[in-house]
C-alpha cells in the first residue's frame, strides 16, 4: 500500500507543529478560541458541511477523467463564434500549463509585471493591426459581453441625451443579441433587431451593432450603413471575426467606430464556452471611453522603455457609480495565448491559416452545389447555410451525429456549416458523404484558386498587418520557447513568493486542479453541442452546483457569470426581475456602504438602480442608525442592499443579521458580495444570516488562478424565491427568466473543473480547515505587524477575519514616505505588495491566505518590519528624506552594476536588505515607472524592438 499525504495538508501552508507558536503570537489558547473571538456566535454553523468525503489527488483525477469520457467530442462545424483550433504545443506547455504564467496577479505593480505587460501589448498591437483601428484594449470577457460594453460606450459618446435606441442586426450571433438585450433593458436602452439594409436611422438612435462576416457567413459591404448612421449622429460597432480580417478589409478602413469580437480561434481551446479573450478596439479619439484595461508605454527612472497598465484612474474602484463599466478584470492568460499564437505564426502564417479555411469553405460549397443543394452564391470566409425541407434537415443532423460531427441548427429548414483551421480535406469528403446521401463530389485542391472567390475589391484586405518585429522573429520553436521564458522571467508569480493582496485571495492553485482543463475530453467541446454529447460536463455542473448550494445555504445556483463583476450584475438583475414580477417596478434604490468595493456602485448603476451610500462607523462597520434611516426614507422604493461580508475592512460585523432584517422590513433584498467568502466556508453561510443572493469568486476562494488578471468565474447562489429569475440562454435550456449574462450557457465552463477538483479533494472538513487557517494566518500577520504598522480595524474582540488593513498614513508627514514607496521597496525583498490604498487611502490590505507556510509569513513580516526600520532611519535623520532605499526602489541589477553609486546607502542594502534575500532574489527588470508620463503621452502599441534593448 502506497502512502499518500492528504490533499488538505498539501493545500494548507502551516504544519500542525506550527500551531502552538502561532496561537501564542496571536494570544489564543487554541484555534477554536480564536474563531469564537472572530465570528459572531449568532451566525456560526452548528455542524459541518454535507459534502462528500475528501478524495485523494489520484482518486480525484481518476474520477474527473472518467467523467470526461462521458463527453463525446464530435467534429464541430457549429461556428456561431466558437471554433476548434490548434494550440501550438510550445504555448500549451509553457503558458497555459505553466504556473509562472497562470499564478501571476493583475499587473498593478508594473515593475514586476513586464513580461505579461509586453504580451498584452502584443495582443493590443495584433488587434489594432487586424481591425485597422487606432487603439485596442487588453481584452474583455467574451464576444457577447464585449458587444454590450460597446453599446454602453456608444451611448456615452452620443451627444443627444434623448437618444435611447440601439440597432442590432438580426445577422449577429444569437447569443450576442440576447446578452445585449439583457444589458440594455435596465439602462432604458431600446434594442431594435432587424435587417441592416432596411433600418432607418434617426435622432433617437445612438448606435448600431453588425456582424462581419454575418452569423450565416454572408460578407456584406457595410459602407452604406456606416454612412447612414454617421449622417444621423449614430456610431457603429462591428463584431468581427479576427481570423477573417487577415483577408477582409478591416472595419477601421470602412468607417467603423468600434470593433469587437473573440480571439478564441487564435489558439485557445473552445472549452465548452471558455475562458476566451474577447477584444475591443476603437479610434484614437475615443481612447478614454474604452471599457476595461489598456497597456501603455512609458519610461522608468533610468530612461528605459517600460510598460504599465494605463489610464488607471478609469478603474471602477475610483469612478464608482459614475463608472461606464463594472469590468475590473480581463482575460489576461487567454489574451497572452492569443498574442503568442500571432507571434509564433507571424503575418504569413496567419494569412496561410485564413486562406486555408476560406479555400476549403469554397471547395465544400462547390462540391455541395454540384450535388444540387441550395447553397448561397456570394463571397464566404468560413461559414454558409443550406436550405432544405424540414425532414431533410432532420435527416442530415441524424446522419451527421452518426458520423460524429455536429452542424449548426439554424432553424428547422436551415443548416449551418462553419470550418476552421483543424478542418482537413478528409473532413470535407465526410461532410459531402453525409449531405450528399452517399453521392461523391470532387473536392478542389486546397492550394488552388483565390481564397475568397468573387469578393469585391473594396472588401479585400490590401493593407499589411503584424509588421512589428515581434511578430516576425520567433517562428522556430527554439526562439519561441526562449521568448516565452524571457517574458516569464520578468514577472513575479506565486512560484516566487506569496502575493498577499487583500480581498483577492492569491492562494495555491494546485497542479492536480489544473491538469484536467487541457484534456481534449473537456477542452474541445463546442458550447452549443447537443446536451447528450456533454454528459460529463452536465454531471460536473450538477455536482458543483450542489457543492456551492451546501456551502452557501442557497438552493439556486447559476454557473454562467464569467467574472466577479458579471456575478455582481447577475445578482442585482435577478433581484430586479423578482421585484418586477411582484409589482415592484418602482423599486430602484440600492443601498451600498461607503466601504464597498468600487465595482458595487458601478454594477448597481448598470442594473438600473440609484445608489444611496450608507455611512460606516468609527470601527469600520455599517452605521446601523444611518442604514435604518435611509431604508426608512426610501422604503417604498428600496430594491436592495449590497454588502460585502466579512466587511471590506476585514472584520466580521456583529450585526449582520440586524442589517439584513432592516432591509427586509422595507421590502428590499440583500445581495452579498462574495469576495471574502474565503473567511466563511464551513464556518457560516450567507443564507443563514439573511442574505438573498451572493456571487462567489471562484478565482479567489475556490482556487481558479488569476492568470495575470483573468480568467475568473463569478457564479451566483440565491434563495428559492429568486431561483426562477436566474440567467437563461437562447440556445441551451438553462436557468430562469433573466436573459443571458454571458455568451456561453455555463460561462467559462472549462475552468469550473478547477473549483470542482478543489472541493472534491478538500471535502467538507478540509474546506472548513482551510477557512480556519486563513483566519489564523491573517491574525498572525496582523499581530506581528501591529506594533510597526497599526491595524486599522478589528472586530469586537480585537480580531480580524481573513485579511487586515495596516495603517501607513503616519509615514508621509514623519518621513515623506508614501504607501507606493513601501510597495516598491517590497520588490527588493522579493514580494508583491498588498492591496494599496483600498478601502482607505495610504493603507495596505494584507491577505496571506491559508496556503502560505509559517516560514513565508515570517519572511513577509520581517520584510515589512525591516522597511519600518528604514522609515525610522528617515524619521530620525539618519537617512535622507529624498535619497533613500524606499524612494529609489525598486533597485534593478543594471542600476546596481553602474560604476557610479552616489546614494547614502550601500548597494548591498539596496539589493539584499535582509540575509535571506540573497538566496531568493527576484530582480525587477525595470526601475520605478513614470505613470504620469505614460498617461500624458499615451501609447498603446508596440514600440520598436530597439526600445526593449
Amino acid at each position: 500500500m502506497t502512502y499518500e499525504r492528504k490533499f488538505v495538508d498539501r493545500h494548507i501552508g502551516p504544519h500542525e507543529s506550527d500551531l502552538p507558536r502561532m496561537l501564542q503570537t496571536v494570544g489564543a489558547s487554541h484555534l477554536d478560541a480564536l474563531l469564537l473571538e472572530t465570528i459572531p456566535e449568532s451566525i456560526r454553523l452548528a455542524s459541518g458541511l454535507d459534502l462528500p468525503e475528501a478524495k485523494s489527488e489520484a482518486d480525484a483525477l481518476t474520477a474527473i477523467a472518467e467523467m470526461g469520457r462521458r463527453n463525446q467530442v464530435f467534429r464541430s462545424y457549429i461556428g456561431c463564434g466558437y471554433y476548434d483550433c490548434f494550440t501550438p504545443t510550445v504555448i500549451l506547455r509553457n503558458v497555459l500549463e505553466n504556473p509562472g504564467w497562470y499564478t501571476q496577479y493583475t499587473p498593478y505593480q508594473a515593475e514586476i509585471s513586464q513580461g505579461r505587460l509586453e504580451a498584452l501589448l502584443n495582443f493590443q498591437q495584433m488587434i489594432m493591426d487586424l481591425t485597422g483601428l487606432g487603439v485596442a484594449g487588453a481584452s474583455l470577457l467574451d464576444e457577447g459581453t464585449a458587444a454590450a460594453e460597446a453599446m454602453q460606450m456608444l451611448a456615452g459618446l452620443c451627444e443627444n441625451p434623448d437618444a435611447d435606441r440601439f440597432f442590432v442586426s438580426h445577422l449577429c450571433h444569437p447569443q450576442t443579441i440576447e446578452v445585449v438585450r439583457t444589458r440594455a433593458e435596465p439602462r432604458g436602452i431600446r434594442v431594435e433587431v432587424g435587417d441592416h439594409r432596411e433600418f432607418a436611422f434617426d435622432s433617437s438612435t445612438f448606435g448600431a451593432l453588425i456582424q462581419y462576416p454575418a452569423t450565416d457567413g454572408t460578407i456584406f459591404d457595410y459602407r452604406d450603413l456606416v454612412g447612414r448612421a454617421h449622417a444621423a449622429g449614430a456610431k457603429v460597432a462591428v463584431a468581427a471575426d479576427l481570423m477573417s480580417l487577415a483577408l477582409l478589409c478591416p472595419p477601421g478602413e470602412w468607417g467603423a467606430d468600434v470593433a469587437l469580437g473573440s480571439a478564441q480561434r487564435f489558439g485557445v481551446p473552445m472549452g465548452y464556452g471558455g475562458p476566451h479573450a474577447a477584444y475591443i478596439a476603437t479610434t484614437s479619439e475615443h481612447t478614454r471611453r474604452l471599457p476595461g484595461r489598456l497597456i501603455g508605454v512609458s519610461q522608468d527612472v533610468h530612461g528605459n522603455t517600460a510598460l504599465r497598465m494605463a489610464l488607471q484612474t478609469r478603474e471602477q474602484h475610483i469612478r464608482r457609480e459614475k463608472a461606464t463599466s463594472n469590468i475590473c478584470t480581463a482575460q489576461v492568460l487567454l489574451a497572452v495565448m492569443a498574442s503568442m499564437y500571432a507571434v509564433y505564426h507571424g503575418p504569413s502564417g496567419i494569412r496561410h491559416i485564413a486562406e486555408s479555411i476560406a479555400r476549403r469553405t469554397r471547395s465544400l460549397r462547390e462540391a455541395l452545389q454540384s450535388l444540387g443543394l441550395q447553397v448561397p452564391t456570394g463571397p464566404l470566409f468560413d461559414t454558409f447555410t443550406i436550405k432544405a425541407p424540414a425532414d431533410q434537415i432532420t435527416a442530415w443532423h441524424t446522419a451527421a451525429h452518426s458520423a460524429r460531427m455536429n452542424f449548426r441548427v439554424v432553424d428547422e429548414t436551415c443548416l449551418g456549416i462553419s470550418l476552421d483551421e483543424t478542418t482537413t480535406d478528409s473532413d470535407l469528403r465526410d461532410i459531402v458523404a453525409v449531405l450528399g446521401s452517399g453521392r461523391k463530389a470532387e473536392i478542389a485542391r486546397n492550394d488552388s484558386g483565390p481564397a475568397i472567390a468573387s469578393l469585391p475589391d473594396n472588401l479585400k484586405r490590401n493593407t499589411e498587418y503584424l509588421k512589428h518585429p515581434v511578430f516576425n522573429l520567433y517562428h522556430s520553436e527554439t526562439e519561441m520557447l526562449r521568448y516565452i521564458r524571457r517574458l516569464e522571467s520578468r514577472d513575479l508569480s506565486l512560484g516566487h513568493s506569496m502575493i498577499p493582496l487583500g480581498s483577492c485571495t492569491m492562494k495555491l492553485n494546485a497542479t492536480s486542479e489544473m491538469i484536467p482543463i487541457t484534456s481534449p475530453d473537456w477542452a474541445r467541446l463546442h458550447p452549443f453541442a447537443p446536451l447528450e454529447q456533454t454528459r460529463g460536463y452536465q454531471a460536473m455542473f450538477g455536482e458543483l452546483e450542489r457543492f456551492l448550494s451546501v456551502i452557501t445555504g442557497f438552493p439556486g445556483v447559476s454557473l454562467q457569470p464569467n467574472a466577479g463583476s458579471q456575478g455582481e450584475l447577475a445578482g442585482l438583475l435577478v433581484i430586479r426581475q423578482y421585484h418586477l414580477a411582484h409589482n415592484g417596478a418602482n423599486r430602484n434604490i440600492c443601498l451600498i456602504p461607503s466601504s464597498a468595493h468600487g465595482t458595487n456602485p458601478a454594477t448597481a448603476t448598470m442594473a438600473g438602480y440609484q445608489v444611496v451610500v450608507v455611512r460606516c462607523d468609527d470601527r469600520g462597520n455599517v452605521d446601523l442608525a444611518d442604514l435604518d434611516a435611509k431604508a426608512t426614507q426610501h422604503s417604498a422604493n428600496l430594491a436592495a442592499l449590497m454588502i460585502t461580508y466579512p466587511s471590506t475592512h476585514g472584520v466580521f460585523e456583529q450585526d449582520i443579521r440586524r442589517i439584513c432584517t432592516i432591509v427586509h422590513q422595507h421590502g428590499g433584498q440583500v445581495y452579498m458580495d462574495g469576495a471574502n467568502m474565503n473567511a466563511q466556508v464551513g464556518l457560516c453561510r450567507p443564507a443563514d444570516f439573511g442574505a438573498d443572493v451572493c456571487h462567489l469568486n471562484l478565482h479567489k476562494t475556490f482556487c481558479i488562478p488569476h492568470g495575470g488578471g483573468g480568467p475568473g468565474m463569478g457564479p451566483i447562489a440565491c434563495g428559492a424565491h429568486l431561483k426562477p429569475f436566474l440567467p437563461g440562454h437562447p440556445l441551451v435550456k438553462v436557468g430562469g427568466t433573466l436573459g443571458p449574462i454571458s455568451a456561453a450557457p455555463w460561462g467559462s465552463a472549462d475552468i469550473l473543473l478547477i473549483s470542482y477538483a478543489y472541493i472534491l479533494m478538500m471535502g467538507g472538513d478540509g474546506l472548513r480547515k482551510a477557512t480556519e487557517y486563513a483566519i489564523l494566518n491573517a491574525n498572525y500577520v496582523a499581530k506581528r505587524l501591529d506594533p510597526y504598522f497599526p491595524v486599522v480595524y478589528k472586530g469586537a474582540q480585537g480580531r480580524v477575519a481573513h485579511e487586515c488593513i495596516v495603517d501607513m498614513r503616519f509615514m508621509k508627514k514623519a518621513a515623506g514616505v508614501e504607501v507606493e514607496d513601501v510597495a516598491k521597496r517590497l520588490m527588493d525583498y522579493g514580494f508583491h505588495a498588498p492591496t494599496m490604498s483600498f478601502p482607505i487611502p495610504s493603507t495596505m490590505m494584507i491577505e496571506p491566505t491559508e496556503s502560505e507556510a509559517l516560514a513565508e509569513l515570517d519572511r513577509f513580516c520581517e520584510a515589512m518590519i525591516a522597511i519600518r526600520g528604514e522609515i525610522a532611519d528617515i524619521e530620525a535623520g539618519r537617512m535622507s528624506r529624498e535619497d533613500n532605499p524606499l524612494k529609489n526602489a525598486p533597485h534593478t541589477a543594471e542600476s546596481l552594476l553602474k560604476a557610479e553609486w552616489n546614494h547614502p546607502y550601500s548597494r548591498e542594502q539596496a539589493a539584499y536588505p535582509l540575509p535571506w534575500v540573497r538566496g531568493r532574489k527576484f530582480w525587477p527588470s525595470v526601475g520605478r515607472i513614470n505613470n504620469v508620463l505614460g498617461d500624458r503621452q499615451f501609447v498603446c502599441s508596440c514600440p520598436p524592438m530597439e526600445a526593449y534593448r
Side-chain angles (χ1 to χ4, degrees):
M1 181 176 178
T2 58
Y3 167 74
E4 182 175 9
R5 193 178 180 195
K6 290 181 179 179
F7 175 77
V8 64
D9 298 322
R10 305 283 189 192
H11 176 80
I12 293 174
H15 300 295
E16 292 289 341
S17 59
D18 296 324
L19 200 54
R21 181 186 143 200
M22 297 180 75
L23 290 171
Q24 182 180 21
T25 299
V26 302
S29 57
H30 51 79
L31 187 54
D32 286 342
L34 173 65
L35 298 172
L36 287 169
E37 294 173 357
T38 304
I39 302 170
E41 183 178 4
S42 63
I43 68 170
R44 292 179 202 142
L45 272 178
S47 58
L49 296 172
D50 181 21
L51 294 173
E53 186 176 343
K55 289 183 179 292
S56 69
E57 292 179 65
D59 288 347
L61 286 172
T62 298
I64 292 171
E66 290 175 353
M67 187 178 281
R69 285 192 284 273
R70 296 168 65 184
N71 295 322
Q72 299 181 64
V73 183
F74 286 13
R75 286 172 288 178
S76 177
Y77 306 115
I78 297 172
C80 209
Y82 300 92
Y83 307 88
D84 204 359
C85 61
F86 293 121
T87 305
T89 50
V90 66
I91 297 173
L92 178 74
R93 175 62 58 89
N94 295 289
V95 178
L96 181 58
E97 296 178 341
N98 179 0
W101 283 98
Y102 67 67
T103 67
Q104 304 158 342
Y105 187 64
T106 300
Y108 290 126
Q109 298 297 336
E111 293 84 356
I112 50 175
S113 307
Q114 289 296 295
R116 89 200 77 147
L117 287 169
E118 181 171 328
L120 290 174
L121 197 72
N122 294 343
F123 178 84
Q124 292 178 176
Q125 185 71 63
M126 173 185 82
I127 299 302
M128 291 162 59
D129 284 0
L130 289 170
T131 62
L133 288 163
V135 60
S139 77
L140 290 175
L141 301 176
D142 61 35
E143 183 166 332
T145 54
E149 294 287 342
M151 171 187 68
Q152 189 61 44
M153 175 185 168
L154 297 188
L157 288 171
C158 184
E159 296 179 357
N160 178 7
D162 297 322
D164 64 350
R165 189 166 65 145
F166 186 64
F167 170 73
V168 179
S169 168
H170 70 291
L171 292 176
C172 288
H173 294 318
Q175 71 273 16
T176 298
I177 295 173
E178 295 308 315
V179 171
V180 167
R181 279 180 163 144
T182 301
R183 292 275 288 269
E185 193 271 336
R187 298 305 301 267
I189 294 173
R190 295 181 295 133
V191 173
E192 185 165 333
V193 179
D195 190 327
H196 73 272
R197 293 161 293 192
E198 300 174 359
F199 181 73
F201 287 91
D202 59 27
S203 60
S204 70
T205 309
F206 64 82
L209 175 68
I210 51 180
Q211 192 89 39
Y212 181 65
T215 191
D216 66 356
T218 308
I219 300 172
F220 290 103
D221 183 348
Y222 288 115
R223 285 177 175 84
D224 176 67
L225 172 96
V226 171
R228 288 186 285 119
H230 288 171
K235 289 182 168 55
V236 177
V238 182
D241 179 278
L242 205 56
M243 187 65 75
S244 74
L245 297 183
L247 305 178
L248 299 180
C249 183
E253 292 184 18
W254 44 259
D257 301 287
V258 175
L260 61 101
S262 174
Q264 178 265 314
R265 68 192 311 174
F266 275 47
V268 181
M270 288 187 287
Y272 201 44
H276 309 137
Y279 74 84
I280 190 165
T282 188
T283 56
S284 298
E285 63 187 296
H286 303 319
T287 299
R288 292 184 180 269
R289 293 282 190 166
L290 204 63
R293 292 175 170 165
L294 296 91
I295 307 308
V297 180
S298 186
Q299 289 183 351
D300 73 357
V301 293
H302 309 297
N304 300 314
T305 297
L307 311 178
R308 58 183 282 274
M309 196 161 68
L311 306 176
Q312 289 174 324
T313 55
R314 293 183 64 250
E315 288 279 44
Q316 304 315 317
H317 65 262
I318 300 294
R319 301 195 65 184
R320 299 179 69 82
E321 67 270 16
K322 294 184 175 65
T324 56
S325 167
N326 75 337
I327 295 291
C328 64
T329 185
Q331 296 280 35
V332 171
L333 185 65
L334 300 316
V336 168
M337 288 180 66
S339 75
M340 291 297 184
Y341 180 93
V343 169
Y344 192 47
H345 287 296
S348 59
I350 296 294
R351 185 172 185 90
H352 173 78
I353 292 168
E355 287 178 339
S356 179
I357 294 169
R359 286 197 179 102
R360 285 200 168 98
T361 305
R362 186 197 71 207
S363 298
L364 178 61
R365 178 178 63 175
E366 290 174 352
L368 296 177
Q369 202 169 30
S370 71
L371 296 176
L373 273 61
Q374 187 179 340
V375 294
T377 57
L380 302 172
F381 172 60
D382 64 357
T383 297
F384 61 88
T385 58
I386 305 172
K387 291 282 190 179
D391 58 345
Q392 180 64 75
I393 295 291
T394 300
W396 279 338
H397 283 302
T398 301
H401 291 174
S402 297
R404 296 184 64 82
M405 62 178 74
N406 290 322
F407 299 135
R408 179 177 171 185
V409 180
V410 179
D411 57 44
E412 62 181 12
T413 62
C414 189
L415 171 150
I417 299 177
S418 294
L419 306 186
D420 54 55
E421 70 166 310
T422 70
T423 307
T424 65
D425 289 343
S426 176
D427 292 328
L428 299 188
R429 287 190 286 271
D430 291 344
I431 294 171
V432 170
V434 167
L435 298 178
S437 302
R439 292 177 293 163
K440 293 185 177 180
E442 184 179 350
I443 302 294
R445 286 177 52 188
N446 185 42
D447 59 356
S448 63
I452 299 182
S454 69
L455 186 67
D457 287 343
N458 64 346
L459 285 180
K460 292 178 181 176
R461 179 159 201 139
N462 296 311
T463 50
E464 294 182 292
Y465 50 88
L466 306 184
K467 294 187 296 181
H468 190 274
V470 75
F471 300 109
N472 295 276
L473 289 175
Y474 309 117
H475 298 162
S476 75
E477 179 157 343
T478 302
E479 288 300 320
M480 188 67 192
L481 175 64
R482 289 171 182 161
Y483 181 62
I484 291 172
R485 290 293 187 180
R486 188 159 68 248
L487 296 195
E488 179 192 341
S489 70
R490 298 173 186 167
D491 280 22
L492 187 142
S493 72
L494 278 180
H496 296 96
S497 58
M498 70 186 290
I499 301 180
L501 284 116
S503 199
C504 293
T505 321
M506 290 296 297
K507 68 205 306 182
L508 171 70
N509 317 122
T511 307
S512 291
E513 295 158 11
M514 301 298 294
I515 283 175
I517 67 170
T518 53
S519 165
D521 286 340
W522 298 102
R524 291 193 61 202
L525 263 72
H526 192 288
F528 307 144
L531 290 179
E532 63 268 19
Q533 296 171 21
T534 66
R535 290 197 173 100
Y537 263 115
Q538 301 309 316
M540 186 267 286
F541 294 153
E543 288 194 37
L544 182 58
E545 286 175 5
R546 190 184 82 76
F547 294 166
L548 297 180
S549 179
V550 169
I551 289 166
T552 61
F554 289 122
V557 175
S558 170
L559 300 174
Q560 189 179 120
N562 57 359
S565 60
Q566 304 305 289
E568 287 184 16
L569 183 60
L572 288 193
L573 291 180
V574 165
I575 290 173
R576 188 173 187 275
Q577 290 290 105
Y578 169 81
H579 285 312
L580 290 174
H582 292 82
N583 300 314
N586 58 298
R587 291 191 174 272
N588 69 337
I589 299 296
C590 185
L591 304 176
I592 300 180
S594 60
S595 63
H597 193 282
T599 56
N600 284 183
T603 300
T605 301
M606 290 174 60
Y609 293 127
Q610 178 183 332
V611 174
V612 173
V613 177
V614 178
R615 290 196 299 266
C616 290
D617 63 23
D618 292 341
R619 298 180 65 88
N621 300 319
V622 172
D623 186 321
L624 282 181
D626 192 49
L627 173 66
D628 200 4
K630 284 172 177 167
T632 302
Q633 177 187 352
H634 298 287
S635 182
N637 300 312
L638 181 60
L641 166 76
M642 297 184 81
I643 189 165
T644 302
Y645 198 74
S647 77
T648 312
H649 291 140
V651 296
F652 282 94
E653 299 196 35
Q654 296 291 315
D655 295 314
I656 185 63
R657 284 187 179 274
R658 175 65 183 145
I659 289 168
C660 295
T661 298
I662 289 172
V663 175
H664 289 151
Q665 286 173 341
H666 295 279
Q669 297 283 292
V670 176
Y671 163 86
M672 193 201 84
D673 186 315
N676 293 341
M677 195 70 193
N678 207 47
Q680 286 194 53
V681 178
L683 301 180
C684 57
R685 304 194 306 180
D688 296 342
F689 55 72
D692 297 288
V693 59
C694 72
H695 91 270
L696 302 165
N697 285 339
L698 299 190
H699 49 289
K700 297 181 180 180
T701 304
F702 296 96
C703 292
I704 293 176
H706 275 253
M713 279 292 279
I716 60 172
C718 66
H721 62 297
L722 297 180
K723 189 175 178 180
F725 309 103
L726 288 171
H729 197 276
L731 300 179
V732 178
K733 187 172 177 55
V734 63
T737 60
L738 181 66
I741 207 76
S742 302
W746 288 277
S748 297
D750 192 31
I751 57 172
L752 290 173
L753 286 161
I754 300 169
S755 299
Y756 175 69
Y758 171 64
I759 297 172
L760 213 59
M761 294 186 293
M762 292 290 280
D765 292 342
L767 291 174
R768 178 188 175 98
K769 186 175 181 181
T771 309
E772 292 170 348
Y773 273 82
I775 292 172
L776 173 62
N777 282 2
N779 278 277
Y780 179 81
V781 170
K783 185 64 73 170
R784 283 211 62 189
L785 293 184
D786 195 44
Y788 306 94
F789 298 100
V791 175
V792 181
Y793 293 118
K794 299 175 184 176
Q797 299 188 58
R799 301 301 185 186
V800 299
H802 62 308
E803 62 192 7
C804 61
I805 299 173
V806 297
D807 202 345
M808 298 184 176
R809 287 172 288 189
F810 68 89
M811 303 183 307
K812 185 170 183 178
K813 183 176 181 181
V817 173
E818 307 276 359
V819 66
E820 184 180 24
D821 299 325
V822 177
K824 304 309 178 187
R825 183 58 172 155
L826 272 169
M827 296 177 191
D828 290 330
Y829 290 79
F831 285 107
H832 193 294
T835 304
M836 294 193 306
S837 294
F838 172 79
I840 305 166
S842 297
T843 63
M844 280 187 173
M845 182 191 284
I846 303 168
E847 181 173 3
T849 84
E850 72 274 13
S851 293
E852 296 301 339
L854 178 58
E856 186 73 354
L857 300 181
D858 282 336
R859 272 190 290 269
F860 174 75
C861 291
E862 288 165 12
M864 291 289 287
I865 293 167
I867 290 172
R868 181 63 184 93
E870 293 175 341
I871 295 169
D873 286 342
I874 301 170
E875 290 174 307
R878 294 187 293 271
M879 187 74 71
S880 164
R881 288 172 69 99
E882 292 77 28
D883 189 0
N884 58 67
L886 285 96
K887 287 295 181 184
N888 296 328
H891 297 83
T892 64
E894 181 183 10
S895 69
L896 291 163
L897 289 171
K898 288 182 177 178
E900 292 186 3
W901 181 261
N902 300 317
H903 303 296
Y905 55 94
S906 69
R907 299 177 199 253
E908 184 174 26
Q909 184 179 355
Y912 306 118
L914 288 173
W916 51 259
V917 175
R918 193 177 295 273
R920 334 168 21 106
K921 183 65 180 177
F922 178 87
W923 290 101
S925 57
V926 295
R928 194 174 305 194
I929 293 173
N930 189 332
N931 291 331
V932 175
L933 173 66
D935 274 344
R936 192 172 62 240
Q937 300 177 9
F938 176 68
V939 178
C940 75
S941 57
C942 296
M945 293 300 286
E946 291 75 19
Y948 295 115
R949 300 193 188 104

